[in-house]
Each structure stands twice: as C-alpha cells, then as structure tokens.
Amino acid sequence: MILPSLEEADSPYFRPIKYSLFPPLGLATLAAYFSPDDEVQIADQHVEKLQLDDRPDLVCLQVYITNAYRAYAIADHYRRRGSYVAMGGLHVTALPEEALQHADTIVTGPGEEAFPRFVADFRARCPQRVYTAQVRQITDIPPIRRDLIHRRRYFVPNSLVVSRGCPHHCDFCYKDAFYSSGRSFYTTSVDRALQEIDSLPGRHLYFLDDHLLGNPVFARQLFEGMRGMGRVFQGAATVKSILEGDLIERARDAGLRSIFVGFETFSQENLRSEHKYQNLARDYAACAHRLHDLGIMINGSFVFGMDHDDADTFRRTVDWAVEHAITTATFHILTPYPGTRLYQRMEAEGRIVTRDWSRYDTRTVVYKTRGLTPEELKRGYDWAYSEFYRWSNIWRACRHDDTLEHRTAHLLYTGGWKKFEPLWNFLIRTGALNASLPLLENLLKHG
C-alpha cells in the first residue's frame, strides 16, 4: 500500500517537516480489511525511499491530484512486473476514466465499504474494474492498522479521524467533491472514538477531521468524554461553529489548544460566489478574540484569486492576520480541482488554462483570472507568505497576546513552523523528529 509524495524531494517546495507530520491513516484504515495471514506493508514516499524491485500480488495506491503522475508511473511499473494494481483517493474519484488507464481496479469515494468487497473479490480471483461505496458509515469498521505505521518517522503520529466529510458545500472544496454522492458528513460513535483516543500513547492528539465541530451532539459528547484524560489536541472548525453556542469552550476544557479556521476571504461577494455560506456576515475579529480568550492558537486559512479580489487583498489579509494575532497562516491560490463545482463552472466558461495536474498545488495560477492578472496573483501570494512570517510581524502579532505565556508560545510556534527549517531537517535526517514531540505538547499546554 503506497502513498506517493505530493512533491518531488528535489522541489524547492518540498518541506521535510510538512510532509513528516502525519502518517497515512487512509491506507492504515483500509489495511484492516486484509486477513491477519496476509503480509501487508505501507510505504509513504514522503518519509522513505520507495523500493520498487519487488513483485507483490497486489499494489494499492492512494492518489491526490499533485501526486497523480507519480502514482500512475508507479502503477505502470508494477503492472509491467505482473502485480495487480488498485487505486483510490480524491483524484481517482474526480477522474475515474483517467485512473483506469493505469489501474486494474479503482475504488471511488470513501473506501470503508467498497474496499473490503474488492479484497474479497480479489481473493476469489474475480475482481471488478470499479468499486463505489454503497453504504457510508464508520461506526463498526475494524481498528486501524497502526502497527503498520512507523511512528518514529512522524512528528504527529497520534493523528486520528472521527468523522468523514463536511456538512458544508463550498464550491472549491476538493473533499466535498469526494463525498458528493450519498451521505456527505457522518461520524463514528463516541465510544469508539474514546476507545481509540485511550489506546494512543503520550498526550498529544491531532484530529484531521475537516470539521471537528460539524455534528454538535457528537462533539459535545466527545469532549465530555475526553475531560480528565489529560490530552492536548488540535483540530479544525468553521467561524460559524466557533461563534455559536459553547462547543468551543467545551473543546477547550477537553484539551483543545490549536485550531485550523477557514477564514478564506473577507469579501462577502466571494463567499456568496463560492457558496461558503457558513462565513457570510460572520465577525472574523470576534472569532479570533474568542479563541484568544480561551488560550487557543489559530491556524488561519486564506484563499487568493477569487473573482472579487483586487490588488489590495494581500495587504489587507496580512495586516488583519497580524493585527489579530493569528498564530500561523496558510495561504492558497484558488485552485479549481477536477470534480468540484468551481472546476465545472470555470471549464464551462473556458477559463481552465492547463490540465497539468502537478501544477494544481495552490501555489500556481491554472485558470483565467478576473480582477487580478495571473502575475499579480502569484506575486501577491508569494508576498503574503514572506510578509506574514517576517520576524517583525511575528513579534508584532505576539504583542497582541494577553499573557507572557501566550506570547512565548505564539513566538515559538510561529517561528518554529517557518523559521527553523534547518533544525527540522536535522531532526528528520537523524531520526529524532518524533523525540521532539514533547516540545510541541509543552507549547500547546501553555498556548
């Protein structure tokens, strides 16, 4: 079971720390459907060099848009060597006919129900070409094969997912396209989630769910069950869910110390055009203040290049993020992923300028822009990253935190993410990355 890397190792954008954060949970989840007598291996090209000189009976590849060409090359290689190749993932679901040119079988959509049917058919020597999920639930799936994950290679080995999909339907969302047919958002049981959490060593957890607060009843019960477990954790939520009710306070009491928030754009016209209704007329500043008052650090996500952006968008965004002490910022160039409503709209308007999937990396302009030239958009995107992570702005943002502890945690967390690259590379090369996890736990404890 192989996860090809999203970037080439010699690419200037390949950041070893970024690609050493989380293990391939998707593959480990599907690996649980093999027999205990099967010899199964998981290979993650982000953290290890692939050895392609073997001849396994079956090769399973997880495919995203920017690793698609690498996945296809690996698939073609193994098929020439006589192995049976199966593919699944976001890109396969978006472009099944393309993937079928390189695979013997593809699995579209979430695999928890479709993949075991494929495994049974493969064992019976009658596999089909295409498998699609018919039932969507994760309440009684087998335990994740964490024994196949090399924990020491990852900074955050205790990552987990307790839901699938998202209750919202933004036009540009790659994940929403993946769950577009059938149930688009569902959770595991609270008891199962708590059992998984209890089985993980150490203190730190990272919930990789697209929206940890997406089901308020589930989230409330989960956080109640986590109280007293001594965990510190990170996750993702929307502006709407942070501002409404008391779920974010319950999450803080359970150990939430850092959260990913999709602010995306300050333009109400952009929000409407991309159907990001959960952000419409929301007070972003109030959201930031509420999180800061709770001692929760913020990873803010921002998207440039929507049709109502102008040349001042970049400056306004960075100034706001610094002024409101956003701990880390993730900037993106709007990217029309195949399968999304954004892609369908732009294709109908003749605005797609390339179908070289390796360029669909949220750093490259791949469509005809409006309001900004492609050069202005790329230049503004690069400037925003450089400006936000300038030491002077990191210090300026820290001053807005209310206590010395919060200011120190902010400084170390922000600086550590972007400014200490040689240190991270050294830790990765020497195999000491995972040993530094207590530093993150201590930062989050005081965040």
Side-chain angles (χ1 to χ4, degrees):
M1 308 187 82
I2 300 173
L3 177 63
S5 63
L6 302 182
E7 299 284 352
E8 297 285 3
D10 58 357
S11 165
Y13 296 106
F14 188 88
R15 299 183 64 222
I17 179 57
K18 178 179 178 180
Y19 295 109
S20 300
L21 290 177
F22 310 115
L25 283 188
L27 293 180
T29 299
L30 297 183
Y33 293 105
F34 290 110
S35 164
D37 297 329
D38 294 328
E39 182 182 350
V40 182
Q41 296 179 1
I42 291 178
D44 180 357
Q45 194 179 15
H46 299 95
V47 298
E48 59 188 301
K49 184 176 177 61
L50 294 185
Q51 302 296 330
L52 304 178
D53 55 354
D54 54 349
R55 288 183 174 84
D57 297 316
L58 174 64
V59 176
C60 301
L61 289 151
Q62 184 176 3
V63 188
Y64 299 97
I65 191 165
T66 49
N67 79 1
Y69 296 141
R70 276 182 291 283
Y72 293 161
I74 294 169
D76 294 342
H77 167 81
Y78 272 117
R79 292 178 84 189
R80 287 192 297 268
R81 294 178 69 88
S83 298
Y84 195 96
V85 172
M87 285 184 177
L90 297 171
H91 192 68
V92 172
T93 301
L95 297 173
E97 295 302 323
E98 178 183 288
L100 277 169
Q101 298 176 43
H102 304 275
D104 298 295
T105 285
I106 64 170
V107 178
T108 63
E112 289 86 357
E113 186 270 338
F115 188 74
R117 284 192 283 116
F118 159 69
V119 171
D121 289 348
F122 178 78
R123 200 179 299 279
R125 300 179 182 273
C126 58
Q128 303 173 34
R129 289 280 280 159
V130 180
Y131 290 82
T132 301
Q134 297 176 355
V135 177
R136 294 191 181 182
Q137 62 84 19
I138 53 172
T139 55
D140 59 1
I141 62 176
I144 296 173
R145 289 289 305 273
R146 292 184 182 271
D147 59 301
L148 299 176
I149 293 172
H150 302 288
R151 288 179 56 88
R152 64 179 179 79
R153 291 176 174 166
Y154 299 96
F155 189 39
V156 188
N158 285 354
S159 53
L160 68 161
V161 183
V162 296
S163 65
R164 299 289 188 271
C166 179
H168 305 293
H169 305 286
C170 307
D171 279 9
F172 55 76
C173 181
Y174 203 12
K175 290 286 189 72
D176 188 56
F178 186 70
Y179 292 96
S180 61
S181 175
R183 295 174 70 191
S184 61
F185 183 66
Y186 46 102
T187 70
T188 187
S189 68
V190 173
D191 286 345
R192 178 186 173 85
L194 292 174
Q195 288 173 4
E196 184 175 8
I197 291 168
D198 197 48
S199 72
L200 297 173
R203 294 192 63 203
H204 178 259
L205 305 170
Y206 201 117
F207 288 92
L208 294 173
D209 304 76
D210 296 314
H211 189 357
L212 186 57
L213 310 185
N215 181 328
V217 173
F218 171 83
R220 187 173 293 110
Q221 294 175 356
L222 175 68
F223 300 145
E224 183 63 31
M226 290 181 66
R227 291 184 64 180
M229 295 180 77
R231 299 286 190 169
V232 290
F233 65 93
Q234 298 170 265
T238 64
V239 173
K240 180 177 184 289
S241 66
I242 291 166
L243 288 173
E244 294 182 348
D246 65 349
L247 263 186
I248 197 64
E249 283 81 8
R250 291 174 181 266
R252 169 61 173 80
D253 292 343
L256 178 68
R257 295 296 181 271
S258 171
I259 195 161
F260 179 94
V261 184
F263 295 106
E264 316 306 11
T265 177
F266 296 96
S267 164
Q268 298 297 297
E269 293 83 1
N270 281 336
L271 292 173
R272 289 190 187 92
S273 66
E274 297 300 332
H275 294 94
K276 195 172 182 68
Y277 297 128
Q278 67 271 25
N279 279 27
L280 271 174
R282 303 291 173 183
D283 188 338
Y284 287 6
C287 174
H289 290 320
R290 189 170 194 177
L291 292 171
H292 287 312
D293 288 345
L294 293 169
I296 298 172
M297 293 189 284
I298 306 169
N299 177 11
S301 173
F302 304 92
V303 177
F304 299 130
M306 297 183 191
D307 285 352
H308 297 279
D309 282 348
D310 56 32
D312 292 331
T313 295
F314 312 103
R315 169 65 68 181
R316 288 196 305 268
T317 300
V318 170
D319 283 350
W320 185 92
V322 172
E323 183 68 25
H324 291 85
I326 301 302
T327 317
T328 56
T330 305
F331 301 108
H332 313 268
I333 290 176
L334 182 69
T335 302
Y337 293 115
T340 63
R341 288 181 296 276
L342 174 62
Y343 184 91
Q344 294 168 1
R345 186 170 74 241
M346 286 194 169
E347 186 175 43
E349 295 171 352
R351 297 175 62 186
I352 303 296
V353 298
T354 179
R355 288 173 176 78
D356 177 353
W357 307 133
S358 64
R359 300 182 65 192
Y360 280 61
D361 55 9
T362 76
R363 296 186 301 266
T364 307
V365 184
V366 296
Y367 63 97
K368 295 178 182 177
T369 55
R370 291 176 179 166
L372 294 164
T373 67
E375 294 76 19
E376 287 174 327
L377 176 52
K378 174 61 175 172
R379 188 164 55 247
Y381 162 83
D382 291 336
W383 176 88
Y385 256 124
S386 175
E387 186 70 11
F388 179 84
Y389 287 101
R390 192 184 301 278
W391 273 119
S392 59
N393 275 333
I394 294 174
W395 282 106
R396 181 179 150 211
C398 289
R399 291 200 300 269
H400 294 289
D401 290 307
D402 55 355
T403 68
L404 178 60
E405 277 190 343
H406 290 170
R407 285 193 288 271
T408 302
H410 184 141
L411 175 66
L412 292 175
Y413 196 94
T414 308
W417 179 236
K418 279 290 186 181
K419 296 296 188 180
F420 302 157
E421 202 78 12
L423 173 61
W424 292 125
N425 294 347
F426 172 77
L427 292 173
I428 291 168
R429 285 197 308 272
T430 58
L433 179 64
N434 186 244
S436 63
L437 180 57
L439 296 176
L440 174 62
E441 293 179 349
N442 194 55
L443 271 181
L444 293 174
K445 180 176 68 174
H446 296 294

